[in-house]
Amino acid sequence: MFPAIKNEFNKELPAKTPGTGVDFHMHTVASDGMWTPQTLVNTAVAQGLKTIAVSDHDTFRNVRTVQALAAPYGLQVVPGVEVTINWRSEIYHMLVLNFDLENPDFSTLLADTEAQSQAKKHNIIEGLKKKGYRLHKLDEVKQADGSFLTTDIVRALVRGGEVSTFDRGYNLCVPFGIEHTCSQPADRAIEAALSAGGIPMLAHPGRAEYSFSRATPEVLTELVGMGLAGVEVYHYSHQPADIELYQNFARRHNLLISAGSDSHNEARKPTPWNPELTRGLLERFALTDTGLDYSESAVS
């Protein structure tokens, strides 16, 4: 039996509902995920997902491919991206959902982050080579399209036998900027997302790790003032107290609520969250084929 969660109508409902589930946060090989577009679609269907968003870090390169592959299964794919933002010297992640893939302002914003990333990788590679490291295994860790992550440079050092451990290789890269996080100012990112017709939502606000911070209610209030439209209340890392905190914040500020697995690979697969938890978001998407009855009689 899945745990019950109260929705805004104080009705008990299962947290997960295979067959009609939603999941608006997952990653492919376009960023740091292990899923190819095809394996993501296959897994999402097998997991009982009905509506998903592909939300790679700072790119929507695989969105159209996933949409095309998902169509024969009746799997609805909403455009998504997880934008890395900065505010008051801290880093946060912001989901942008259901935006215009052709919008020039938003594309320019993401291109700027990509340019930062390319410059960062160039600096690390050049710095290592000046120190005598060959990086002769770098091509082996690249994707088929030639793309690679900053951490793949460290992996190449290990694979090539140039360092004994990942930590040792990482420390070699610190002087060349590996710890710098490429990002966009929060106000600029929110403005660009809104100009593309997107829905900006703070991702996993209760999660704090090496490269990003936990969002306090004070920070969230400031972001709402810039146009933030929602919060990812339901996330695998959120404890019940986090869910209650951010759910109450969303209701007080009339924000949309999202749910996401943050799936990167088989270790944590896409999750069929109950669509009722994200009712407002689905209504903004204008998606009616969710297996959910939105009539007043169904929730009264």
Side-chain angles (χ1 to χ4, degrees):
M1 186 65 146
F2 291 113
I5 296 176
K6 286 189 176 182
N7 69 354
E8 59 187 302
F9 300 97
N10 292 319
K11 290 184 127 185
E12 296 286 347
L13 65 151
K16 301 175 182 69
T17 54
T20 64
V22 301
D23 187 342
F24 302 119
H25 191 165
M26 53 190 71
H27 298 270
T28 73
V29 292
S31 59
D32 61 345
M34 297 295 289
W35 300 115
T36 66
Q38 187 65 70
T39 58
L40 180 63
V41 168
N42 293 346
T43 305
V45 171
Q47 287 288 99
L49 272 295
K50 181 67 177 177
T51 306
I52 68 172
V54 178
S55 47
D56 279 307
H57 291 286
D58 302 302
T59 181
F60 53 83
R61 189 165 67 246
N62 273 343
V63 168
R64 287 189 178 90
T65 303
V66 173
Q67 287 177 325
L69 292 170
Y73 298 94
L75 178 66
Q76 300 172 118
V77 181
V78 177
V81 61
E82 187 173 13
V83 182
T84 309
I85 61 173
N86 62 75
W87 179 244
R88 297 192 183 278
S89 301
E90 300 288 345
I91 298 294
Y92 302 95
H93 289 174
M94 183 178 75
L95 295 171
V96 180
L97 303 176
N98 206 38
F99 56 90
D100 177 8
L101 294 168
E102 302 295 335
N103 182 269
D105 292 339
F106 196 51
S107 294
T108 297
L109 179 95
L110 297 179
D112 182 76
T113 304
E114 173 63 18
Q116 292 180 41
S117 178
Q118 293 297 336
K120 173 182 173 178
K121 287 183 281 191
H122 175 78
N123 288 340
I124 295 170
I125 291 170
E126 291 303 304
L128 289 172
K129 287 185 174 180
K130 286 178 181 178
K131 280 187 164 289
Y133 294 94
R134 296 169 54 206
L135 290 169
H136 56 287
K137 295 294 185 179
L138 184 58
D139 284 343
E140 293 186 8
V141 299
K142 292 180 179 179
Q143 298 294 332
D145 63 0
S147 63
F148 61 98
L149 304 175
T150 304
T151 50
D152 287 332
I153 300 171
V154 182
R155 290 177 55 221
L157 287 170
V158 177
R159 183 172 294 192
E162 298 188 86
V163 296
S164 56
T165 66
F166 184 92
D167 286 346
R168 188 173 179 82
Y170 186 92
N171 289 334
L172 283 175
C173 298
V174 169
F176 309 119
I178 195 170
E179 294 187 316
H180 170 72
T181 301
C182 303
S183 62
Q184 295 294 327
D187 51 354
R188 180 188 176 197
I190 292 173
E191 181 181 9
L194 293 173
S195 75
I199 304 171
M201 313 186 74
L202 201 68
H204 43 66
R207 184 182 176 195
E209 289 191 3
Y210 166 73
S211 63
F212 52 89
S213 303
R214 177 184 175 93
T216 64
E218 292 74 21
V219 166
L220 276 173
T221 300
E222 291 179 321
L223 297 178
V224 169
M226 300 174 197
L228 188 77
V231 180
E232 187 180 39
V233 170
Y234 300 99
H235 184 268
Y236 84 90
S237 69
H238 283 178
Q239 300 301 310
D242 297 316
I243 293 174
E244 182 177 8
L245 171 66
Y246 294 114
Q247 187 180 62
N248 289 338
F249 182 91
R251 290 172 179 165
R252 286 198 307 272
H253 294 269
N254 196 30
L255 300 177
L256 298 169
I257 287 174
S258 186
S261 64
D262 207 349
S263 176
H264 286 67
N265 50 48
E266 289 278 351
R268 183 174 59 256
K269 295 181 179 180
T271 299
W273 295 98
N274 191 315
E276 178 67 22
L277 301 174
T278 63
R279 164 197 283 246
L281 195 56
L282 287 165
E283 290 175 343
R284 281 283 294 273
F285 294 160
L287 296 174
T288 56
D289 184 19
T290 60
L292 197 64
D293 183 357
Y294 286 140
S295 65
E296 288 296 325
S297 61
V299 296
S300 60

